[in-house]
Amino acid sequence: MIKNFLTLQFNLFLIAGGIAALINFSSRIILNFWLNFSLSIIFAYIIGMVTFYLLAKTFVFKGSNQSYAKSIFYFVCVNILAVSQTWLISIGLANYFFPEIGLLKFQKEIAHGIGVLVPVFTSYFGHKYFSFSK
């Protein structure tokens, strides 16, 4: 299992995911000027998801022989699971856990940052074996 995470492909996945996560995180902050926190998370995730698809298809899973339609279908399915994880963790931390422990400064930013990191491993396997399978 550990061997799966020591590959060039996984490292490229982390780089592509890091770029998409940075775009996701930054756009959430910008969107939050016009939308509430909950909707900002979802729309920012979509922006990050499109970014990641383009990077993953181009640089990470180059050998995929999936049709675009099938690849996009599975990609969206994997990301529905991932955005659910991101949303639940972000909202749970920002609205319940952090106020309970007295963390009020940057609570939304910290909560969203943690929420974006959680689905890294489930997403890798979902994309490798479904979205961009050979």
Side-chain angles (χ1 to χ4, degrees):
M1 185 74 153
I2 298 290
K3 186 177 151 187
N4 288 316
F5 302 115
L6 301 176
T7 64
L8 175 61
Q9 185 180 54
F10 184 71
N11 287 311
L12 290 172
F13 176 85
L14 289 177
I15 292 168
I19 292 167
L22 182 61
I23 289 170
N24 175 341
F25 188 78
S26 302
S27 61
R28 199 280 308 157
I29 292 170
I30 293 166
L31 289 168
N32 214 179
F33 286 112
W34 298 281
L35 302 172
N36 67 42
F37 182 59
S38 182
L39 286 175
S40 296
I41 291 169
I42 293 168
F43 284 112
Y45 196 90
I46 292 168
I47 293 167
M49 188 171 76
V50 169
T51 302
F52 181 73
Y53 181 85
L54 296 172
L55 292 172
K57 183 81 172 155
T58 304
F59 300 108
V60 182
F61 301 106
K62 294 184 266 190
S64 172
N65 60 6
Q66 291 271 37
S67 69
Y68 277 104
K70 196 172 186 181
S71 176
I72 290 170
F73 172 76
Y74 284 124
F75 188 84
V76 170
C77 290
V78 168
N79 278 285
I80 287 171
L81 173 63
V83 75
S84 299
Q85 292 172 321
T86 298
W87 186 84
L88 286 169
I89 289 165
S90 298
I91 294 297
L93 289 173
N95 293 347
Y96 302 102
F97 183 71
F98 288 162
E100 186 68 30
I101 65 169
L103 177 61
L104 302 175
K105 192 168 189 173
F106 301 113
Q107 73 192 58
K108 290 179 179 177
E109 289 74 18
I110 296 167
H112 186 223
I114 293 168
V116 167
L117 291 175
V118 168
V120 167
F121 300 104
T122 56
S123 293
Y124 176 70
F125 287 111
H127 293 313
K128 180 175 180 154
Y129 294 112
F130 294 101
S131 306
F132 303 106
S133 68
K134 294 182 180 181

PDB file of all heavy atoms in Angstrom, residues 24-54:
ATOM      1  N   ASN A  24      -8.556  26.501  -5.489  1.00  0.00           N
ATOM      2  CA  ASN A  24      -9.793  26.262  -4.744  1.00  0.00           C
ATOM      3  C   ASN A  24      -9.838  27.172  -3.512  1.00  0.00           C
ATOM      4  O   ASN A  24     -10.811  27.902  -3.296  1.00  0.00           O
ATOM      5  CB  ASN A  24      -9.833  24.778  -4.346  1.00  0.00           C
ATOM      6  CG  ASN A  24     -11.000  24.394  -3.461  1.00  0.00           C
ATOM      7  OD1 ASN A  24     -11.637  25.217  -2.812  1.00  0.00           O
ATOM      8  ND2 ASN A  24     -11.263  23.106  -3.394  1.00  0.00           N
ATOM      9  N   PHE A  25      -8.800  27.126  -2.712  1.00  0.00           N
ATOM     10  CA  PHE A  25      -8.740  27.881  -1.461  1.00  0.00           C
ATOM     11  C   PHE A  25      -8.819  29.388  -1.718  1.00  0.00           C
ATOM     12  O   PHE A  25      -9.591  30.103  -1.073  1.00  0.00           O
ATOM     13  CB  PHE A  25      -7.437  27.530  -0.731  1.00  0.00           C
ATOM     14  CG  PHE A  25      -7.357  28.090   0.659  1.00  0.00           C
ATOM     15  CD1 PHE A  25      -8.034  27.491   1.698  1.00  0.00           C
ATOM     16  CD2 PHE A  25      -6.591  29.212   0.922  1.00  0.00           C
ATOM     17  CE1 PHE A  25      -7.958  28.009   2.990  1.00  0.00           C
ATOM     18  CE2 PHE A  25      -6.513  29.736   2.200  1.00  0.00           C
ATOM     19  CZ  PHE A  25      -7.199  29.128   3.243  1.00  0.00           C
ATOM     20  N   SER A  26      -8.059  29.861  -2.684  1.00  0.00           N
ATOM     21  CA  SER A  26      -8.049  31.298  -3.008  1.00  0.00           C
ATOM     22  C   SER A  26      -9.400  31.759  -3.545  1.00  0.00           C
ATOM     23  O   SER A  26      -9.891  32.832  -3.181  1.00  0.00           O
ATOM     24  CB  SER A  26      -6.975  31.605  -4.056  1.00  0.00           C
ATOM     25  OG  SER A  26      -5.714  31.219  -3.595  1.00  0.00           O
ATOM     26  N   SER A  27      -9.988  30.964  -4.413  1.00  0.00           N
ATOM     27  CA  SER A  27     -11.275  31.372  -4.972  1.00  0.00           C
ATOM     28  C   SER A  27     -12.367  31.348  -3.911  1.00  0.00           C
ATOM     29  O   SER A  27     -13.296  32.150  -3.968  1.00  0.00           O
ATOM     30  CB  SER A  27     -11.648  30.504  -6.181  1.00  0.00           C
ATOM     31  OG  SER A  27     -11.773  29.154  -5.837  1.00  0.00           O
ATOM     32  N   ARG A  28     -12.263  30.459  -2.918  1.00  0.00           N
ATOM     33  CA  ARG A  28     -13.246  30.454  -1.821  1.00  0.00           C
ATOM     34  C   ARG A  28     -13.204  31.769  -1.065  1.00  0.00           C
ATOM     35  O   ARG A  28     -14.231  32.354  -0.731  1.00  0.00           O
ATOM     36  CB  ARG A  28     -12.985  29.279  -0.873  1.00  0.00           C
ATOM     37  CG  ARG A  28     -14.155  28.895   0.017  1.00  0.00           C
ATOM     38  CD  ARG A  28     -14.378  29.727   1.254  1.00  0.00           C
ATOM     39  NE  ARG A  28     -13.171  29.852   2.050  1.00  0.00           N
ATOM     40  CZ  ARG A  28     -12.972  30.861   2.906  1.00  0.00           C
ATOM     41  NH1 ARG A  28     -13.860  31.823   3.055  1.00  0.00           N
ATOM     42  NH2 ARG A  28     -11.869  30.942   3.599  1.00  0.00           N
ATOM     43  N   ILE A  29     -12.027  32.291  -0.817  1.00  0.00           N
ATOM     44  CA  ILE A  29     -11.891  33.562  -0.108  1.00  0.00           C
ATOM     45  C   ILE A  29     -12.518  34.683  -0.935  1.00  0.00           C
ATOM     46  O   ILE A  29     -13.262  35.515  -0.414  1.00  0.00           O
ATOM     47  CB  ILE A  29     -10.414  33.852   0.212  1.00  0.00           C
ATOM     48  CG1 ILE A  29      -9.907  32.843   1.251  1.00  0.00           C
ATOM     49  CG2 ILE A  29     -10.236  35.286   0.713  1.00  0.00           C
ATOM     50  CD1 ILE A  29      -8.413  32.863   1.473  1.00  0.00           C
ATOM     51  N   ILE A  30     -12.253  34.682  -2.229  1.00  0.00           N
ATOM     52  CA  ILE A  30     -12.806  35.720  -3.114  1.00  0.00           C
ATOM     53  C   ILE A  30     -14.331  35.575  -3.216  1.00  0.00           C
ATOM     54  O   ILE A  30     -15.066  36.559  -3.088  1.00  0.00           O
ATOM     55  CB  ILE A  30     -12.142  35.656  -4.505  1.00  0.00           C
ATOM     56  CG1 ILE A  30     -10.659  36.041  -4.379  1.00  0.00           C
ATOM     57  CG2 ILE A  30     -12.857  36.565  -5.497  1.00  0.00           C
ATOM     58  CD1 ILE A  30      -9.814  35.707  -5.585  1.00  0.00           C
ATOM     59  N   LEU A  31     -14.810  34.348  -3.428  1.00  0.00           N
ATOM     60  CA  LEU A  31     -16.255  34.118  -3.544  1.00  0.00           C
ATOM     61  C   LEU A  31     -17.000  34.491  -2.263  1.00  0.00           C
ATOM     62  O   LEU A  31     -18.159  34.896  -2.317  1.00  0.00           O
ATOM     63  CB  LEU A  31     -16.528  32.652  -3.899  1.00  0.00           C
ATOM     64  CG  LEU A  31     -16.161  32.229  -5.315  1.00  0.00           C
ATOM     65  CD1 LEU A  31     -16.208  30.719  -5.447  1.00  0.00           C
ATOM     66  CD2 LEU A  31     -17.078  32.892  -6.330  1.00  0.00           C
ATOM     67  N   ASN A  32     -16.317  34.363  -1.128  1.00  0.00           N
ATOM     68  CA  ASN A  32     -16.943  34.655   0.159  1.00  0.00           C
ATOM     69  C   ASN A  32     -17.324  36.136   0.310  1.00  0.00           C
ATOM     70  O   ASN A  32     -18.106  36.485   1.177  1.00  0.00           O
ATOM     71  CB  ASN A  32     -16.030  34.223   1.297  1.00  0.00           C
ATOM     72  CG  ASN A  32     -16.768  33.709   2.508  1.00  0.00           C
ATOM     73  OD1 ASN A  32     -16.148  33.322   3.476  1.00  0.00           O
ATOM     74  ND2 ASN A  32     -18.082  33.674   2.473  1.00  0.00           N
ATOM     75  N   PHE A  33     -16.808  36.998  -0.572  1.00  0.00           N
ATOM     76  CA  PHE A  33     -17.234  38.401  -0.567  1.00  0.00           C
ATOM     77  C   PHE A  33     -18.672  38.536  -1.064  1.00  0.00           C
ATOM     78  O   PHE A  33     -19.360  39.488  -0.724  1.00  0.00           O
ATOM     79  CB  PHE A  33     -16.305  39.269  -1.434  1.00  0.00           C
ATOM     80  CG  PHE A  33     -14.978  39.529  -0.812  1.00  0.00           C
ATOM     81  CD1 PHE A  33     -13.825  38.975  -1.365  1.00  0.00           C
ATOM     82  CD2 PHE A  33     -14.858  40.314   0.333  1.00  0.00           C
ATOM     83  CE1 PHE A  33     -12.580  39.220  -0.798  1.00  0.00           C
ATOM     84  CE2 PHE A  33     -13.623  40.557   0.907  1.00  0.00           C
ATOM     85  CZ  PHE A  33     -12.478  40.007   0.342  1.00  0.00           C
ATOM     86  N   TRP A  34     -19.119  37.596  -1.914  1.00  0.00           N
ATOM     87  CA  TRP A  34     -20.454  37.662  -2.510  1.00  0.00           C
ATOM     88  C   TRP A  34     -21.387  36.556  -2.046  1.00  0.00           C
ATOM     89  O   TRP A  34     -22.595  36.696  -2.138  1.00  0.00           O
ATOM     90  CB  TRP A  34     -20.358  37.619  -4.037  1.00  0.00           C
ATOM     91  CG  TRP A  34     -19.607  38.784  -4.583  1.00  0.00           C
ATOM     92  CD1 TRP A  34     -20.084  40.056  -4.756  1.00  0.00           C
ATOM     93  CD2 TRP A  34     -18.253  38.808  -4.999  1.00  0.00           C
ATOM     94  NE1 TRP A  34     -19.098  40.862  -5.259  1.00  0.00           N
ATOM     95  CE2 TRP A  34     -17.947  40.113  -5.426  1.00  0.00           C
ATOM     96  CE3 TRP A  34     -17.240  37.848  -5.060  1.00  0.00           C
ATOM     97  CZ2 TRP A  34     -16.706  40.490  -5.897  1.00  0.00           C
ATOM     98  CZ3 TRP A  34     -15.999  38.220  -5.534  1.00  0.00           C
ATOM     99  CH2 TRP A  34     -15.752  39.529  -5.944  1.00  0.00           C
ATOM    100  N   LEU A  35     -20.815  35.430  -1.607  1.00  0.00           N
ATOM    101  CA  LEU A  35     -21.620  34.273  -1.222  1.00  0.00           C
ATOM    102  C   LEU A  35     -21.344  33.902   0.229  1.00  0.00           C
ATOM    103  O   LEU A  35     -20.293  34.248   0.766  1.00  0.00           O
ATOM    104  CB  LEU A  35     -21.274  33.067  -2.118  1.00  0.00           C
ATOM    105  CG  LEU A  35     -21.448  33.245  -3.627  1.00  0.00           C
ATOM    106  CD1 LEU A  35     -20.873  32.048  -4.364  1.00  0.00           C
ATOM    107  CD2 LEU A  35     -22.912  33.438  -3.976  1.00  0.00           C
ATOM    108  N   ASN A  36     -22.255  33.140   0.828  1.00  0.00           N
ATOM    109  CA  ASN A  36     -21.984  32.672   2.192  1.00  0.00           C
ATOM    110  C   ASN A  36     -20.895  31.593   2.160  1.00  0.00           C
ATOM    111  O   ASN A  36     -20.540  31.075   1.100  1.00  0.00           O
ATOM    112  CB  ASN A  36     -23.273  32.191   2.882  1.00  0.00           C
ATOM    113  CG  ASN A  36     -23.853  30.938   2.267  1.00  0.00           C
ATOM    114  OD1 ASN A  36     -23.141  29.995   1.917  1.00  0.00           O
ATOM    115  ND2 ASN A  36     -25.168  30.906   2.125  1.00  0.00           N
ATOM    116  N   PHE A  37     -20.376  31.265   3.330  1.00  0.00           N
ATOM    117  CA  PHE A  37     -19.259  30.332   3.450  1.00  0.00           C
ATOM    118  C   PHE A  37     -19.578  28.977   2.818  1.00  0.00           C
ATOM    119  O   PHE A  37     -18.781  28.412   2.067  1.00  0.00           O
ATOM    120  CB  PHE A  37     -18.897  30.166   4.931  1.00  0.00           C
ATOM    121  CG  PHE A  37     -17.723  29.265   5.203  1.00  0.00           C
ATOM    122  CD1 PHE A  37     -16.472  29.535   4.677  1.00  0.00           C
ATOM    123  CD2 PHE A  37     -17.868  28.151   6.020  1.00  0.00           C
ATOM    124  CE1 PHE A  37     -15.382  28.714   4.943  1.00  0.00           C
ATOM    125  CE2 PHE A  37     -16.795  27.330   6.296  1.00  0.00           C
ATOM    126  CZ  PHE A  37     -15.552  27.605   5.761  1.00  0.00           C
ATOM    127  N   SER A  38     -20.757  28.447   3.087  1.00  0.00           N
ATOM    128  CA  SER A  38     -21.140  27.140   2.577  1.00  0.00           C
ATOM    129  C   SER A  38     -21.154  27.103   1.047  1.00  0.00           C
ATOM    130  O   SER A  38     -20.565  26.209   0.426  1.00  0.00           O
ATOM    131  CB  SER A  38     -22.523  26.773   3.129  1.00  0.00           C
ATOM    132  OG  SER A  38     -22.905  25.501   2.691  1.00  0.00           O
ATOM    133  N   LEU A  39     -21.799  28.069   0.413  1.00  0.00           N
ATOM    134  CA  LEU A  39     -21.832  28.116  -1.055  1.00  0.00           C
ATOM    135  C   LEU A  39     -20.455  28.423  -1.632  1.00  0.00           C
ATOM    136  O   LEU A  39     -20.096  27.900  -2.695  1.00  0.00           O
ATOM    137  CB  LEU A  39     -22.840  29.164  -1.533  1.00  0.00           C
ATOM    138  CG  LEU A  39     -24.310  28.786  -1.396  1.00  0.00           C
ATOM    139  CD1 LEU A  39     -25.194  29.964  -1.783  1.00  0.00           C
ATOM    140  CD2 LEU A  39     -24.637  27.564  -2.233  1.00  0.00           C
ATOM    141  N   SER A  40     -19.692  29.240  -0.952  1.00  0.00           N
ATOM    142  CA  SER A  40     -18.337  29.554  -1.416  1.00  0.00           C
ATOM    143  C   SER A  40     -17.484  28.291  -1.498  1.00  0.00           C
ATOM    144  O   SER A  40     -16.707  28.119  -2.444  1.00  0.00           O
ATOM    145  CB  SER A  40     -17.665  30.559  -0.487  1.00  0.00           C
ATOM    146  OG  SER A  40     -18.325  31.780  -0.496  1.00  0.00           O
ATOM    147  N   ILE A  41     -17.622  27.414  -0.529  1.00  0.00           N
ATOM    148  CA  ILE A  41     -16.867  26.158  -0.527  1.00  0.00           C
ATOM    149  C   ILE A  41     -17.217  25.334  -1.764  1.00  0.00           C
ATOM    150  O   ILE A  41     -16.342  24.824  -2.469  1.00  0.00           O
ATOM    151  CB  ILE A  41     -17.153  25.336   0.750  1.00  0.00           C
ATOM    152  CG1 ILE A  41     -16.555  26.017   1.966  1.00  0.00           C
ATOM    153  CG2 ILE A  41     -16.610  23.909   0.616  1.00  0.00           C
ATOM    154  CD1 ILE A  41     -17.003  25.415   3.285  1.00  0.00           C
ATOM    155  N   ILE A  42     -18.493  25.229  -2.054  1.00  0.00           N
ATOM    156  CA  ILE A  42     -18.933  24.397  -3.169  1.00  0.00           C
ATOM    157  C   ILE A  42     -18.489  24.972  -4.515  1.00  0.00           C
ATOM    158  O   ILE A  42     -17.929  24.258  -5.356  1.00  0.00           O
ATOM    159  CB  ILE A  42     -20.459  24.188  -3.116  1.00  0.00           C
ATOM    160  CG1 ILE A  42     -20.797  23.339  -1.881  1.00  0.00           C
ATOM    161  CG2 ILE A  42     -20.970  23.524  -4.396  1.00  0.00           C
ATOM    162  CD1 ILE A  42     -22.245  23.289  -1.523  1.00  0.00           C
ATOM    163  N   PHE A  43     -18.695  26.273  -4.728  1.00  0.00           N
ATOM    164  CA  PHE A  43     -18.294  26.866  -6.007  1.00  0.00           C
ATOM    165  C   PHE A  43     -16.774  26.888  -6.170  1.00  0.00           C
ATOM    166  O   PHE A  43     -16.260  26.669  -7.264  1.00  0.00           O
ATOM    167  CB  PHE A  43     -18.890  28.270  -6.170  1.00  0.00           C
ATOM    168  CG  PHE A  43     -20.343  28.243  -6.515  1.00  0.00           C
ATOM    169  CD1 PHE A  43     -21.286  28.694  -5.619  1.00  0.00           C
ATOM    170  CD2 PHE A  43     -20.773  27.746  -7.739  1.00  0.00           C
ATOM    171  CE1 PHE A  43     -22.645  28.659  -5.932  1.00  0.00           C
ATOM    172  CE2 PHE A  43     -22.122  27.707  -8.065  1.00  0.00           C
ATOM    173  CZ  PHE A  43     -23.059  28.164  -7.154  1.00  0.00           C
ATOM    174  N   ALA A  44     -16.063  27.130  -5.094  1.00  0.00           N
ATOM    175  CA  ALA A  44     -14.599  27.103  -5.157  1.00  0.00           C
ATOM    176  C   ALA A  44     -14.116  25.693  -5.479  1.00  0.00           C
ATOM    177  O   ALA A  44     -13.150  25.512  -6.231  1.00  0.00           O
ATOM    178  CB  ALA A  44     -14.008  27.587  -3.839  1.00  0.00           C
ATOM    179  N   TYR A  45     -14.789  24.703  -4.944  1.00  0.00           N
ATOM    180  CA  TYR A  45     -14.417  23.324  -5.223  1.00  0.00           C
ATOM    181  C   TYR A  45     -14.590  23.014  -6.712  1.00  0.00           C
ATOM    182  O   TYR A  45     -13.750  22.347  -7.319  1.00  0.00           O
ATOM    183  CB  TYR A  45     -15.238  22.346  -4.375  1.00  0.00           C
ATOM    184  CG  TYR A  45     -14.623  20.982  -4.355  1.00  0.00           C
ATOM    185  CD1 TYR A  45     -13.702  20.629  -3.388  1.00  0.00           C
ATOM    186  CD2 TYR A  45     -14.913  20.050  -5.341  1.00  0.00           C
ATOM    187  CE1 TYR A  45     -13.100  19.389  -3.391  1.00  0.00           C
ATOM    188  CE2 TYR A  45     -14.323  18.809  -5.360  1.00  0.00           C
ATOM    189  CZ  TYR A  45     -13.413  18.483  -4.377  1.00  0.00           C
ATOM    190  OH  TYR A  45     -12.805  17.254  -4.395  1.00  0.00           O
ATOM    191  N   ILE A  46     -15.660  23.512  -7.304  1.00  0.00           N
ATOM    192  CA  ILE A  46     -15.888  23.288  -8.740  1.00  0.00           C
ATOM    193  C   ILE A  46     -14.768  23.924  -9.560  1.00  0.00           C
ATOM    194  O   ILE A  46     -14.252  23.317 -10.509  1.00  0.00           O
ATOM    195  CB  ILE A  46     -17.279  23.821  -9.156  1.00  0.00           C
ATOM    196  CG1 ILE A  46     -18.371  22.957  -8.514  1.00  0.00           C
ATOM    197  CG2 ILE A  46     -17.418  23.842 -10.679  1.00  0.00           C
ATOM    198  CD1 ILE A  46     -19.765  23.541  -8.606  1.00  0.00           C
ATOM    199  N   ILE A  47     -14.362  25.124  -9.193  1.00  0.00           N
ATOM    200  CA  ILE A  47     -13.259  25.798  -9.888  1.00  0.00           C
ATOM    201  C   ILE A  47     -11.972  24.978  -9.759  1.00  0.00           C
ATOM    202  O   ILE A  47     -11.256  24.751 -10.733  1.00  0.00           O
ATOM    203  CB  ILE A  47     -13.061  27.231  -9.349  1.00  0.00           C
ATOM    204  CG1 ILE A  47     -14.275  28.090  -9.720  1.00  0.00           C
ATOM    205  CG2 ILE A  47     -11.764  27.845  -9.865  1.00  0.00           C
ATOM    206  CD1 ILE A  47     -14.347  29.420  -8.988  1.00  0.00           C
ATOM    207  N   GLY A  48     -11.698  24.507  -8.552  1.00  0.00           N
ATOM    208  CA  GLY A  48     -10.517  23.671  -8.331  1.00  0.00           C
ATOM    209  C   GLY A  48     -10.616  22.342  -9.072  1.00  0.00           C
ATOM    210  O   GLY A  48      -9.622  21.829  -9.592  1.00  0.00           O
ATOM    211  N   MET A  49     -11.822  21.790  -9.150  1.00  0.00           N
ATOM    212  CA  MET A  49     -12.032  20.512  -9.819  1.00  0.00           C
ATOM    213  C   MET A  49     -11.746  20.615 -11.316  1.00  0.00           C
ATOM    214  O   MET A  49     -11.088  19.741 -11.890  1.00  0.00           O
ATOM    215  CB  MET A  49     -13.482  20.062  -9.587  1.00  0.00           C
ATOM    216  CG  MET A  49     -13.785  18.676 -10.062  1.00  0.00           C
ATOM    217  SD  MET A  49     -15.418  18.093  -9.551  1.00  0.00           S
ATOM    218  CE  MET A  49     -16.488  18.987 -10.666  1.00  0.00           C
ATOM    219  N   VAL A  50     -12.195  21.670 -11.953  1.00  0.00           N
ATOM    220  CA  VAL A  50     -11.923  21.860 -13.386  1.00  0.00           C
ATOM    221  C   VAL A  50     -10.417  22.021 -13.602  1.00  0.00           C
ATOM    222  O   VAL A  50      -9.834  21.419 -14.519  1.00  0.00           O
ATOM    223  CB  VAL A  50     -12.707  23.076 -13.938  1.00  0.00           C
ATOM    224  CG1 VAL A  50     -12.239  23.439 -15.337  1.00  0.00           C
ATOM    225  CG2 VAL A  50     -14.208  22.787 -13.917  1.00  0.00           C
ATOM    226  N   THR A  51      -9.779  22.796 -12.750  1.00  0.00           N
ATOM    227  CA  THR A  51      -8.332  22.984 -12.831  1.00  0.00           C
ATOM    228  C   THR A  51      -7.620  21.646 -12.706  1.00  0.00           C
ATOM    229  O   THR A  51      -6.731  21.310 -13.495  1.00  0.00           O
ATOM    230  CB  THR A  51      -7.842  23.936 -11.721  1.00  0.00           C
ATOM    231  OG1 THR A  51      -8.516  25.178 -11.848  1.00  0.00           O
ATOM    232  CG2 THR A  51      -6.343  24.134 -11.774  1.00  0.00           C
ATOM    233  N   PHE A  52      -8.025  20.853 -11.707  1.00  0.00           N
ATOM    234  CA  PHE A  52      -7.368  19.576 -11.478  1.00  0.00           C
ATOM    235  C   PHE A  52      -7.585  18.611 -12.638  1.00  0.00           C
ATOM    236  O   PHE A  52      -6.666  17.891 -13.031  1.00  0.00           O
ATOM    237  CB  PHE A  52      -7.814  18.928 -10.168  1.00  0.00           C
ATOM    238  CG  PHE A  52      -7.120  17.625  -9.935  1.00  0.00           C
ATOM    239  CD1 PHE A  52      -5.787  17.604  -9.567  1.00  0.00           C
ATOM    240  CD2 PHE A  52      -7.770  16.432 -10.138  1.00  0.00           C
ATOM    241  CE1 PHE A  52      -5.111  16.410  -9.395  1.00  0.00           C
ATOM    242  CE2 PHE A  52      -7.114  15.227  -9.967  1.00  0.00           C
ATOM    243  CZ  PHE A  52      -5.784  15.212  -9.593  1.00  0.00           C
ATOM    244  N   TYR A  53      -8.786  18.572 -13.198  1.00  0.00           N
ATOM    245  CA  TYR A  53      -9.041  17.666 -14.321  1.00  0.00           C
ATOM    246  C   TYR A  53      -8.061  17.941 -15.459  1.00  0.00           C
ATOM    247  O   TYR A  53      -7.449  17.022 -16.000  1.00  0.00           O
ATOM    248  CB  TYR A  53     -10.484  17.779 -14.840  1.00  0.00           C
ATOM    249  CG  TYR A  53     -10.741  16.829 -15.987  1.00  0.00           C
ATOM    250  CD1 TYR A  53     -11.101  15.517 -15.745  1.00  0.00           C
ATOM    251  CD2 TYR A  53     -10.568  17.228 -17.312  1.00  0.00           C
ATOM    252  CE1 TYR A  53     -11.297  14.623 -16.795  1.00  0.00           C
ATOM    253  CE2 TYR A  53     -10.761  16.347 -18.368  1.00  0.00           C
ATOM    254  CZ  TYR A  53     -11.121  15.047 -18.091  1.00  0.00           C
ATOM    255  OH  TYR A  53     -11.300  14.169 -19.134  1.00  0.00           O
ATOM    256  N   LEU A  54      -7.920  19.200 -15.790  1.00  0.00           N
ATOM    257  CA  LEU A  54      -7.028  19.565 -16.894  1.00  0.00           C
ATOM    258  C   LEU A  54      -5.579  19.191 -16.579  1.00  0.00           C
ATOM    259  O   LEU A  54      -4.866  18.657 -17.439  1.00  0.00           O
ATOM    260  CB  LEU A  54      -7.156  21.057 -17.197  1.00  0.00           C
ATOM    261  CG  LEU A  54      -8.541  21.495 -17.706  1.00  0.00           C
ATOM    262  CD1 LEU A  54      -8.621  23.022 -17.776  1.00  0.00           C
ATOM    263  CD2 LEU A  54      -8.861  20.862 -19.045  1.00  0.00           C
TER     264      LEU A  54
END
